[in-house]
Amino acid sequence: MKLKKALLIVDVQNDFCPGGALAVPNGGKIIPFLNKYVKIFSAEKLPIFFSRDWHPKKTKHFKEFGGIWPKHCAQDSKGAMFHPNLRIPKQAIILSKGMDPQKDSYSVFQAVDHFGMEFLNLLKIFGIVELFVGGLTTDYCVKWSVFDALKKGLKVKLLIDAVKGVNIKPEDSKTALEEMIIRGVKTITFKEISKLMA
Ligand SMILES: [Zn+2]
């Protein structure tokens, strides 16, 4: 099978963008960049995955039930919808995670598509060997997804102009980025990728 690249856009949902329940500072600013990446991967007919946090109303993930987070991305709520400015092509695959009320499920490798198929299996079916990752947030769902991707033997490129962190502690995103790079992640900008794909 031909070795392939895929794009993974993590959790660009209303609740993580300004005005949302768990807004990431400047979270909305990455959307125009993400849209440009989507355009390139679409043109190359490469798979594009969009993950979403998709929580039940009661979950240990929320402060109210013992977790660390305010309520966010409850299934079918407005906050759980993808940001309206995000370009989602028809062929994109939506991955949902966080449905288990006992777990946090930060990594997209704990997500499934509409048919219940796990992300890793989808990657195998498509013959994906390299994942390009952007979205929210650098210090949680992006980071844990990237760590899992590396563990599964995938190459990872982080879209450095299209990720943002929540920064509960001010240095969290910086530390997360360093941890990813130490483990073998390469960063890439839109300028560089357009040359790579040309
Ligand atoms: Zn969540």
PDB file of all heavy atoms in Angstrom, residues 158-185:
ATOM      1  N   LEU A 158       3.697  18.412  13.843  1.00  0.00           N
ATOM      2  CA  LEU A 158       2.791  19.311  14.548  1.00  0.00           C
ATOM      3  C   LEU A 158       2.680  20.621  13.766  1.00  0.00           C
ATOM      4  O   LEU A 158       3.690  21.236  13.427  1.00  0.00           O
ATOM      5  CB  LEU A 158       3.334  19.575  15.952  1.00  0.00           C
ATOM      6  CG  LEU A 158       2.413  20.356  16.872  1.00  0.00           C
ATOM      7  CD1 LEU A 158       1.247  19.474  17.337  1.00  0.00           C
ATOM      8  CD2 LEU A 158       3.177  20.878  18.082  1.00  0.00           C
ATOM      9  N   LEU A 159       1.442  21.035  13.499  1.00  0.00           N
ATOM     10  CA  LEU A 159       1.206  22.274  12.744  1.00  0.00           C
ATOM     11  C   LEU A 159       1.366  23.440  13.725  1.00  0.00           C
ATOM     12  O   LEU A 159       0.424  23.823  14.415  1.00  0.00           O
ATOM     13  CB  LEU A 159      -0.202  22.263  12.151  1.00  0.00           C
ATOM     14  CG  LEU A 159      -0.622  20.972  11.439  1.00  0.00           C
ATOM     15  CD1 LEU A 159      -2.045  21.084  10.945  1.00  0.00           C
ATOM     16  CD2 LEU A 159       0.336  20.637  10.300  1.00  0.00           C
ATOM     17  N   ILE A 160       2.562  23.959  13.777  1.00  0.00           N
ATOM     18  CA  ILE A 160       2.919  24.869  14.855  1.00  0.00           C
ATOM     19  C   ILE A 160       2.164  26.207  14.790  1.00  0.00           C
ATOM     20  O   ILE A 160       1.959  26.864  15.807  1.00  0.00           O
ATOM     21  CB  ILE A 160       4.471  25.055  14.907  1.00  0.00           C
ATOM     22  CG1 ILE A 160       4.929  25.621  16.230  1.00  0.00           C
ATOM     23  CG2 ILE A 160       4.988  25.854  13.724  1.00  0.00           C
ATOM     24  CD1 ILE A 160       4.788  24.672  17.389  1.00  0.00           C
ATOM     25  N   ASP A 161       1.688  26.581  13.608  1.00  0.00           N
ATOM     26  CA  ASP A 161       0.897  27.807  13.489  1.00  0.00           C
ATOM     27  C   ASP A 161      -0.605  27.541  13.648  1.00  0.00           C
ATOM     28  O   ASP A 161      -1.427  28.427  13.470  1.00  0.00           O
ATOM     29  CB  ASP A 161       1.178  28.504  12.146  1.00  0.00           C
ATOM     30  CG  ASP A 161       1.165  27.537  10.979  1.00  0.00           C
ATOM     31  OD1 ASP A 161       0.713  26.378  11.160  1.00  0.00           O
ATOM     32  OD2 ASP A 161       1.614  27.916   9.881  1.00  0.00           O
ATOM     33  N   ALA A 162      -0.963  26.313  13.985  1.00  0.00           N
ATOM     34  CA  ALA A 162      -2.385  25.964  14.070  1.00  0.00           C
ATOM     35  C   ALA A 162      -2.690  25.097  15.286  1.00  0.00           C
ATOM     36  O   ALA A 162      -3.516  24.195  15.237  1.00  0.00           O
ATOM     37  CB  ALA A 162      -2.812  25.260  12.779  1.00  0.00           C
ATOM     38  N   VAL A 163      -1.979  25.375  16.385  1.00  0.00           N
ATOM     39  CA  VAL A 163      -2.297  24.757  17.685  1.00  0.00           C
ATOM     40  C   VAL A 163      -2.323  25.857  18.749  1.00  0.00           C
ATOM     41  O   VAL A 163      -1.633  26.865  18.621  1.00  0.00           O
ATOM     42  CB  VAL A 163      -1.267  23.679  18.124  1.00  0.00           C
ATOM     43  CG1 VAL A 163      -1.414  22.398  17.344  1.00  0.00           C
ATOM     44  CG2 VAL A 163       0.163  24.194  18.046  1.00  0.00           C
ATOM     45  N   LYS A 164      -3.130  25.639  19.768  1.00  0.00           N
ATOM     46  CA  LYS A 164      -3.165  26.567  20.913  1.00  0.00           C
ATOM     47  C   LYS A 164      -3.422  25.766  22.188  1.00  0.00           C
ATOM     48  O   LYS A 164      -4.114  24.747  22.153  1.00  0.00           O
ATOM     49  CB  LYS A 164      -4.311  27.575  20.767  1.00  0.00           C
ATOM     50  CG  LYS A 164      -3.995  28.776  19.911  1.00  0.00           C
ATOM     51  CD  LYS A 164      -3.346  29.903  20.727  1.00  0.00           C
ATOM     52  CE  LYS A 164      -3.106  31.134  19.884  1.00  0.00           C
ATOM     53  NZ  LYS A 164      -1.908  31.047  19.049  1.00  0.00           N
ATOM     54  N   GLY A 165      -2.879  26.276  23.302  1.00  0.00           N
ATOM     55  CA  GLY A 165      -3.030  25.567  24.568  1.00  0.00           C
ATOM     56  C   GLY A 165      -3.947  26.291  25.531  1.00  0.00           C
ATOM     57  O   GLY A 165      -4.204  27.489  25.386  1.00  0.00           O
ATOM     58  N   VAL A 166      -4.430  25.557  26.533  1.00  0.00           N
ATOM     59  CA  VAL A 166      -5.337  26.139  27.518  1.00  0.00           C
ATOM     60  C   VAL A 166      -4.525  26.823  28.631  1.00  0.00           C
ATOM     61  O   VAL A 166      -4.969  27.803  29.219  1.00  0.00           O
ATOM     62  CB  VAL A 166      -6.347  25.078  28.029  1.00  0.00           C
ATOM     63  CG1 VAL A 166      -5.678  23.903  28.692  1.00  0.00           C
ATOM     64  CG2 VAL A 166      -7.373  25.681  28.959  1.00  0.00           C
ATOM     65  N   ASN A 167      -3.296  26.319  28.896  1.00  0.00           N
ATOM     66  CA  ASN A 167      -2.369  26.935  29.859  1.00  0.00           C
ATOM     67  C   ASN A 167      -2.968  27.212  31.232  1.00  0.00           C
ATOM     68  O   ASN A 167      -3.025  28.357  31.677  1.00  0.00           O
ATOM     69  CB  ASN A 167      -1.771  28.237  29.280  1.00  0.00           C
ATOM     70  CG  ASN A 167      -0.796  27.954  28.165  1.00  0.00           C
ATOM     71  OD1 ASN A 167      -0.131  26.917  28.154  1.00  0.00           O
ATOM     72  ND2 ASN A 167      -0.709  28.865  27.210  1.00  0.00           N
ATOM     73  N   ILE A 168      -3.390  26.160  31.882  1.00  0.00           N
ATOM     74  CA  ILE A 168      -3.843  26.293  33.274  1.00  0.00           C
ATOM     75  C   ILE A 168      -2.688  26.849  34.093  1.00  0.00           C
ATOM     76  O   ILE A 168      -2.863  27.738  34.905  1.00  0.00           O
ATOM     77  CB  ILE A 168      -4.345  24.942  33.810  1.00  0.00           C
ATOM     78  CG1 ILE A 168      -5.652  24.576  33.091  1.00  0.00           C
ATOM     79  CG2 ILE A 168      -4.555  24.999  35.325  1.00  0.00           C
ATOM     80  CD1 ILE A 168      -6.274  23.294  33.513  1.00  0.00           C
ATOM     81  N   LYS A 169      -1.507  26.304  33.870  1.00  0.00           N
ATOM     82  CA  LYS A 169      -0.288  26.969  34.339  1.00  0.00           C
ATOM     83  C   LYS A 169       0.318  27.624  33.108  1.00  0.00           C
ATOM     84  O   LYS A 169       0.315  27.022  32.032  1.00  0.00           O
ATOM     85  CB  LYS A 169       0.684  25.933  34.927  1.00  0.00           C
ATOM     86  CG  LYS A 169       0.243  25.430  36.283  1.00  0.00           C
ATOM     87  CD  LYS A 169       1.341  24.598  36.954  1.00  0.00           C
ATOM     88  CE  LYS A 169       0.775  23.335  37.540  1.00  0.00           C
ATOM     89  NZ  LYS A 169       1.390  22.111  37.033  1.00  0.00           N
ATOM     90  N   PRO A 170       0.854  28.849  33.261  1.00  0.00           N
ATOM     91  CA  PRO A 170       1.258  29.623  32.079  1.00  0.00           C
ATOM     92  C   PRO A 170       2.240  28.911  31.129  1.00  0.00           C
ATOM     93  O   PRO A 170       2.236  29.166  29.934  1.00  0.00           O
ATOM     94  CB  PRO A 170       1.893  30.886  32.664  1.00  0.00           C
ATOM     95  CG  PRO A 170       1.640  30.865  34.125  1.00  0.00           C
ATOM     96  CD  PRO A 170       1.047  29.564  34.522  1.00  0.00           C
ATOM     97  N   GLU A 171       3.077  28.009  31.683  1.00  0.00           N
ATOM     98  CA  GLU A 171       4.100  27.371  30.846  1.00  0.00           C
ATOM     99  C   GLU A 171       3.635  26.047  30.224  1.00  0.00           C
ATOM    100  O   GLU A 171       4.424  25.386  29.545  1.00  0.00           O
ATOM    101  CB  GLU A 171       5.359  27.084  31.697  1.00  0.00           C
ATOM    102  CG  GLU A 171       6.004  28.312  32.297  1.00  0.00           C
ATOM    103  CD  GLU A 171       6.771  29.125  31.272  1.00  0.00           C
ATOM    104  OE1 GLU A 171       7.792  28.614  30.779  1.00  0.00           O
ATOM    105  OE2 GLU A 171       6.348  30.242  30.951  1.00  0.00           O
ATOM    106  N   ASP A 172       2.389  25.643  30.467  1.00  0.00           N
ATOM    107  CA  ASP A 172       1.953  24.295  30.067  1.00  0.00           C
ATOM    108  C   ASP A 172       2.160  23.983  28.579  1.00  0.00           C
ATOM    109  O   ASP A 172       2.624  22.908  28.224  1.00  0.00           O
ATOM    110  CB  ASP A 172       0.475  24.081  30.425  1.00  0.00           C
ATOM    111  CG  ASP A 172       0.285  23.763  31.901  1.00  0.00           C
ATOM    112  OD1 ASP A 172       1.300  23.598  32.610  1.00  0.00           O
ATOM    113  OD2 ASP A 172      -0.876  23.693  32.339  1.00  0.00           O
ATOM    114  N   SER A 173       1.820  24.947  27.721  1.00  0.00           N
ATOM    115  CA  SER A 173       1.938  24.681  26.283  1.00  0.00           C
ATOM    116  C   SER A 173       3.391  24.566  25.863  1.00  0.00           C
ATOM    117  O   SER A 173       3.752  23.717  25.042  1.00  0.00           O
ATOM    118  CB  SER A 173       1.286  25.789  25.465  1.00  0.00           C
ATOM    119  OG  SER A 173      -0.087  25.728  25.648  1.00  0.00           O
ATOM    120  N   LYS A 174       4.200  25.429  26.443  1.00  0.00           N
ATOM    121  CA  LYS A 174       5.631  25.422  26.130  1.00  0.00           C
ATOM    122  C   LYS A 174       6.234  24.066  26.537  1.00  0.00           C
ATOM    123  O   LYS A 174       6.966  23.442  25.762  1.00  0.00           O
ATOM    124  CB  LYS A 174       6.314  26.566  26.888  1.00  0.00           C
ATOM    125  CG  LYS A 174       7.658  26.953  26.352  1.00  0.00           C
ATOM    126  CD  LYS A 174       8.198  28.192  27.078  1.00  0.00           C
ATOM    127  CE  LYS A 174       9.703  28.209  27.037  1.00  0.00           C
ATOM    128  NZ  LYS A 174      10.347  27.672  28.248  1.00  0.00           N
ATOM    129  N   THR A 175       5.896  23.620  27.744  1.00  0.00           N
ATOM    130  CA  THR A 175       6.399  22.331  28.230  1.00  0.00           C
ATOM    131  C   THR A 175       5.901  21.193  27.342  1.00  0.00           C
ATOM    132  O   THR A 175       6.656  20.291  26.984  1.00  0.00           O
ATOM    133  CB  THR A 175       5.909  22.087  29.685  1.00  0.00           C
ATOM    134  OG1 THR A 175       6.208  23.256  30.435  1.00  0.00           O
ATOM    135  CG2 THR A 175       6.573  20.893  30.319  1.00  0.00           C
ATOM    136  N   ALA A 176       4.621  21.247  26.987  1.00  0.00           N
ATOM    137  CA  ALA A 176       4.041  20.193  26.143  1.00  0.00           C
ATOM    138  C   ALA A 176       4.779  20.117  24.811  1.00  0.00           C
ATOM    139  O   ALA A 176       5.108  19.034  24.320  1.00  0.00           O
ATOM    140  CB  ALA A 176       2.557  20.469  25.910  1.00  0.00           C
ATOM    141  N   LEU A 177       5.061  21.278  24.253  1.00  0.00           N
ATOM    142  CA  LEU A 177       5.758  21.336  22.973  1.00  0.00           C
ATOM    143  C   LEU A 177       7.156  20.721  23.082  1.00  0.00           C
ATOM    144  O   LEU A 177       7.567  19.914  22.245  1.00  0.00           O
ATOM    145  CB  LEU A 177       5.836  22.799  22.511  1.00  0.00           C
ATOM    146  CG  LEU A 177       6.442  23.047  21.145  1.00  0.00           C
ATOM    147  CD1 LEU A 177       5.634  22.353  20.053  1.00  0.00           C
ATOM    148  CD2 LEU A 177       6.497  24.552  20.849  1.00  0.00           C
ATOM    149  N   GLU A 178       7.846  21.070  24.160  1.00  0.00           N
ATOM    150  CA  GLU A 178       9.191  20.511  24.386  1.00  0.00           C
ATOM    151  C   GLU A 178       9.134  18.985  24.524  1.00  0.00           C
ATOM    152  O   GLU A 178       9.955  18.272  23.953  1.00  0.00           O
ATOM    153  CB  GLU A 178       9.816  21.126  25.646  1.00  0.00           C
ATOM    154  CG  GLU A 178      10.302  22.552  25.427  1.00  0.00           C
ATOM    155  CD  GLU A 178      10.565  23.312  26.729  1.00  0.00           C
ATOM    156  OE1 GLU A 178      10.451  22.716  27.813  1.00  0.00           O
ATOM    157  OE2 GLU A 178      10.861  24.519  26.635  1.00  0.00           O
ATOM    158  N   GLU A 179       8.135  18.511  25.275  1.00  0.00           N
ATOM    159  CA  GLU A 179       7.990  17.057  25.468  1.00  0.00           C
ATOM    160  C   GLU A 179       7.738  16.352  24.136  1.00  0.00           C
ATOM    161  O   GLU A 179       8.258  15.268  23.888  1.00  0.00           O
ATOM    162  CB  GLU A 179       6.804  16.765  26.402  1.00  0.00           C
ATOM    163  CG  GLU A 179       7.104  17.042  27.869  1.00  0.00           C
ATOM    164  CD  GLU A 179       5.862  16.875  28.745  1.00  0.00           C
ATOM    165  OE1 GLU A 179       4.729  16.984  28.231  1.00  0.00           O
ATOM    166  OE2 GLU A 179       6.033  16.659  29.932  1.00  0.00           O
ATOM    167  N   MET A 180       6.940  16.981  23.292  1.00  0.00           N
ATOM    168  CA  MET A 180       6.634  16.363  21.993  1.00  0.00           C
ATOM    169  C   MET A 180       7.885  16.300  21.130  1.00  0.00           C
ATOM    170  O   MET A 180       8.170  15.284  20.494  1.00  0.00           O
ATOM    171  CB  MET A 180       5.519  17.149  21.287  1.00  0.00           C
ATOM    172  CG  MET A 180       4.153  16.933  21.910  1.00  0.00           C
ATOM    173  SD  MET A 180       2.820  17.643  20.921  1.00  0.00           S
ATOM    174  CE  MET A 180       2.517  19.173  21.771  1.00  0.00           C
ATOM    175  N   ILE A 181       8.647  17.378  21.142  1.00  0.00           N
ATOM    176  CA  ILE A 181       9.852  17.448  20.298  1.00  0.00           C
ATOM    177  C   ILE A 181      10.903  16.436  20.780  1.00  0.00           C
ATOM    178  O   ILE A 181      11.503  15.731  19.961  1.00  0.00           O
ATOM    179  CB  ILE A 181      10.387  18.894  20.236  1.00  0.00           C
ATOM    180  CG1 ILE A 181       9.411  19.745  19.396  1.00  0.00           C
ATOM    181  CG2 ILE A 181      11.795  18.949  19.636  1.00  0.00           C
ATOM    182  CD1 ILE A 181       9.643  21.227  19.441  1.00  0.00           C
ATOM    183  N   ILE A 182      11.074  16.327  22.100  1.00  0.00           N
ATOM    184  CA  ILE A 182      12.027  15.350  22.663  1.00  0.00           C
ATOM    185  C   ILE A 182      11.673  13.936  22.190  1.00  0.00           C
ATOM    186  O   ILE A 182      12.537  13.125  21.901  1.00  0.00           O
ATOM    187  CB  ILE A 182      12.030  15.419  24.216  1.00  0.00           C
ATOM    188  CG1 ILE A 182      12.758  16.681  24.669  1.00  0.00           C
ATOM    189  CG2 ILE A 182      12.675  14.181  24.837  1.00  0.00           C
ATOM    190  CD1 ILE A 182      12.574  17.006  26.141  1.00  0.00           C
ATOM    191  N   ARG A 183      10.371  13.656  22.090  1.00  0.00           N
ATOM    192  CA  ARG A 183       9.947  12.306  21.700  1.00  0.00           C
ATOM    193  C   ARG A 183       9.976  12.076  20.190  1.00  0.00           C
ATOM    194  O   ARG A 183       9.578  11.012  19.710  1.00  0.00           O
ATOM    195  CB  ARG A 183       8.536  12.037  22.227  1.00  0.00           C
ATOM    196  CG  ARG A 183       8.543  11.908  23.730  1.00  0.00           C
ATOM    197  CD  ARG A 183       7.145  11.742  24.264  1.00  0.00           C
ATOM    198  NE  ARG A 183       7.156  12.102  25.685  1.00  0.00           N
ATOM    199  CZ  ARG A 183       6.453  11.483  26.625  1.00  0.00           C
ATOM    200  NH1 ARG A 183       5.670  10.496  26.305  1.00  0.00           N
ATOM    201  NH2 ARG A 183       6.511  11.871  27.870  1.00  0.00           N
ATOM    202  N   GLY A 184      10.342  13.086  19.437  1.00  0.00           N
ATOM    203  CA  GLY A 184      10.529  12.848  18.000  1.00  0.00           C
ATOM    204  C   GLY A 184       9.581  13.578  17.067  1.00  0.00           C
ATOM    205  O   GLY A 184       9.609  13.365  15.859  1.00  0.00           O
ATOM    206  N   VAL A 185       8.739  14.437  17.618  1.00  0.00           N
ATOM    207  CA  VAL A 185       7.815  15.192  16.760  1.00  0.00           C
ATOM    208  C   VAL A 185       8.571  16.310  16.042  1.00  0.00           C
ATOM    209  O   VAL A 185       9.434  16.959  16.623  1.00  0.00           O
ATOM    210  CB  VAL A 185       6.679  15.806  17.618  1.00  0.00           C
ATOM    211  CG1 VAL A 185       5.852  16.787  16.833  1.00  0.00           C
ATOM    212  CG2 VAL A 185       5.817  14.695  18.174  1.00  0.00           C
TER     213      VAL A 185
END
